[in-house]
Amino acid sequence: MTKPWRTFAMISIGVFASLLDLFIVNIAFPDLRRDFATADLAQLSWVLNGYAIVFAALLVPAGRLVDLYGRRRGYVLGLALFTLASAACAAAPSVGFLIAARVLQGAGAAILTPSSLGVVLPAFTPRARPAVIAAWAAVGAVGAAAGPPLGGLLVQASWRWVFLVNLPLGVISLWYAARHVAESRDPAARGLPDLAGTLALMAGIGSLILALVKGREWGWGSAPTGLALVLAAVLVAVTVVRSVRHPVPVLELPILRVPSFAFAVASALAFFTAFGAMLLSGVLFLTGVWGHSILRAGLELAPGPLAALVFAIVASRVGPRVGMATVGAVGGLLVAAGLACNAVRLGVTPDYLGAFLPGQLISGAGIGLAMPAFTAVAVTAVPVSRFSTAIGISSMFRQVGGALGVAAFVAIVGTPTQATQIESYRHGWYFMIVAASIGGLLMLGARLAPVPVPSTPPEPVPAAA
């Protein structure tokens, strides 16, 4: 293995861990509900959404900071925080402590994610970079989709092992990055990111998620729900206004005005809304409706990630020839088709091979095609020097989508009775079908959007000794 690809492999370990942890917790939900018996599904959903919200809100400013102060430094700091927070999650004595530790995990993941590709790309020639971007995105696809089956194995010992698994992965990648990766910065980076805008965005997303999660309990027309929605709208508007005026905004609006980039991030928002809901719904359906053990459910979910792995490789091979946007569009529509299989075929009577597996395979294939496309289309719309920022913005929309999907699923399905559970899940699948379809169609928009004029990539600036 050449040194650039060795660096890619070792840095990818950290990326894999952060995205694995975004979804591996889904499979631990039945055990979390058992150990924290006083917490309901709405409260436990914050174990997922607390991570996703902080991850989303900090991605862009983190990308700016690592461009300014050094990508290797950012990667090491982010992965160290993520690894330590994982240990805290594993030791959590209460739901509140676990949510707080997950918030710290999300902050670490937000720092390491945009810096990871910025660390890796300077080691490759410009000709090789599209393949590297596709491979990096494929690692994320596998990490995200592998969460449920791997988690099913780990929780046989304890749900705490879904967090402990991050420790050896983090230490290995930290050791390599600290000793063998050169520092690089963006020579054009200036100033600190907008802290107030970042906090407004975080609070706005949190208010929206709160309204969705608690809407059924509070009442959709109640004053608390309406207040949370209004607060969300005001805070997001504040973020946009500050992004217009601030010299280093949390949302870089000129990048969002690039048509292909705008379509790519909008597609990611819609697709990940379906994806986040889909992963949680699969675990809860198998364990709650069909009564399967967590280990069995995890193994039954394994064909989806395997299909995603195979088709992520297909995406990296086919994408450069037909266009990654086309590949992503097909992927989104395949996920919608797999979810439609669930809506039509699944019932109270367990039928894994005839009813559950077909949808798993179709959706898994779509996930493998779509996930690499989001990153590839987004970063090819901007100069190399803006890659970290572009990755941060793209990933932010993905995590917001995942959090919205989990919250919407909790709001739609709630805690159904035995008589209403299939109908409740079917409504959830209809919602996911619409979201995945919108994601696929928006990626077609990226395919038809004007192609950005490429700029000459600057050489990375070496760090001062």
Side-chain angles (χ1 to χ4, degrees), residues 2-424:
T2 63
K3 185 176 180 180
W5 282 108
R6 188 186 310 125
T7 297
F8 173 87
M10 296 302 292
I11 297 300
S12 293
I13 292 174
V15 177
F16 176 84
S18 67
L19 288 171
L20 174 71
D21 215 66
L22 187 61
F23 298 104
I24 196 173
V25 183
N26 290 290
I27 198 68
F29 252 63
D31 274 12
L32 289 173
R33 296 179 79 173
R34 183 195 65 208
D35 282 7
F36 302 119
T38 58
D40 59 15
L41 180 61
Q43 185 179 358
L44 285 173
S45 70
W46 288 98
V47 175
L48 298 177
N49 286 338
Y51 182 97
I53 291 168
V54 175
F55 194 172
L58 294 184
L59 273 166
V60 175
R64 298 293 185 82
L65 287 172
V66 301
D67 280 344
L68 181 64
Y69 290 110
R71 292 154 183 162
R72 183 188 67 173
R73 183 177 299 169
Y75 180 79
V76 170
L77 173 64
L79 185 55
L81 177 58
F82 177 85
T83 304
L84 291 173
S86 296
C89 288
S94 66
V95 173
F97 188 99
L98 178 58
I99 293 171
R102 287 281 285 170
V103 166
L104 291 178
Q105 263 195 320
I111 298 169
L112 75 88
T113 298
S115 58
S116 59
L117 193 53
V119 162
V120 167
L121 279 178
F124 290 86
T125 64
R127 182 185 296 273
R129 285 170 183 166
V132 176
I133 293 167
W136 182 89
V139 170
V142 175
L150 180 57
L153 295 173
L154 292 173
V155 296
Q156 298 310 299
S158 168
W159 61 263
R160 300 178 190 276
W161 277 97
V162 304
F163 301 108
L164 289 173
V165 71
N166 296 324
L167 272 60
L169 297 176
V171 169
I172 291 169
S173 190
L174 277 171
W175 170 82
Y176 185 88
R179 290 179 59 90
H180 299 287
V181 174
E183 186 63 280
S184 65
R185 299 185 178 93
D186 177 7
R190 296 289 185 274
L192 295 175
D194 179 15
L195 176 60
T198 300
L199 294 175
L201 178 62
M202 192 184 307
I205 298 170
S207 295
L208 176 58
I209 300 302
L210 179 65
L212 292 175
V213 168
K214 302 293 285 185
R216 181 190 291 266
E217 177 185 336
W218 288 344
W220 294 109
S222 68
T225 302
L227 179 62
L229 290 172
V230 169
L231 183 61
V234 169
L235 289 170
V236 171
V238 168
T239 304
V240 173
V241 170
R242 290 190 63 87
S243 295
V244 172
R245 299 176 178 176
H246 199 278
V248 190
V250 64
L251 292 175
E252 190 163 322
L253 299 180
I255 290 181
L256 288 171
R257 285 194 286 267
V258 176
S260 56
F261 185 85
F263 274 112
V265 296
S267 174
L269 176 68
F271 179 89
F272 269 79
T273 299
F275 185 57
M278 180 179 71
L279 289 184
L280 181 58
S281 69
V283 174
L284 295 181
F285 181 86
L286 289 172
T287 58
V289 179
W290 283 1
H292 293 177
S293 68
I294 296 178
L295 176 59
R296 181 176 178 180
L299 295 175
E300 286 173 333
L301 290 166
L306 291 175
L309 173 60
V310 171
F311 279 85
I313 297 171
V314 172
S316 66
R317 301 284 180 84
V318 175
R321 295 200 297 269
V322 304
M324 287 302 291
T326 300
V327 173
V330 173
L333 296 177
L334 275 177
V335 170
L339 291 165
C341 284
N342 290 350
V344 171
R345 302 178 68 87
L346 290 179
V348 176
T349 303
D351 180 11
Y352 177 73
L353 293 178
F356 195 87
L357 183 60
Q360 273 279 288
L361 294 175
I362 295 170
S363 295
I367 291 166
L369 292 177
M371 281 196 172
F374 297 126
T375 302
V377 173
V379 298
T380 53
V382 300
V384 172
S385 62
R386 307 304 294 147
F387 271 175
S388 290
T389 299
I391 293 166
I393 295 174
S394 175
S395 299
M396 179 191 74
F397 278 88
R398 290 163 63 162
Q399 306 319 320
V400 170
L404 289 174
V406 169
F409 173 79
V410 171
I412 293 169
V413 176
T415 308
T417 65
Q418 188 172 1
T420 62
Q421 56 188 358
I422 290 300
E423 192 62 25
S424 296

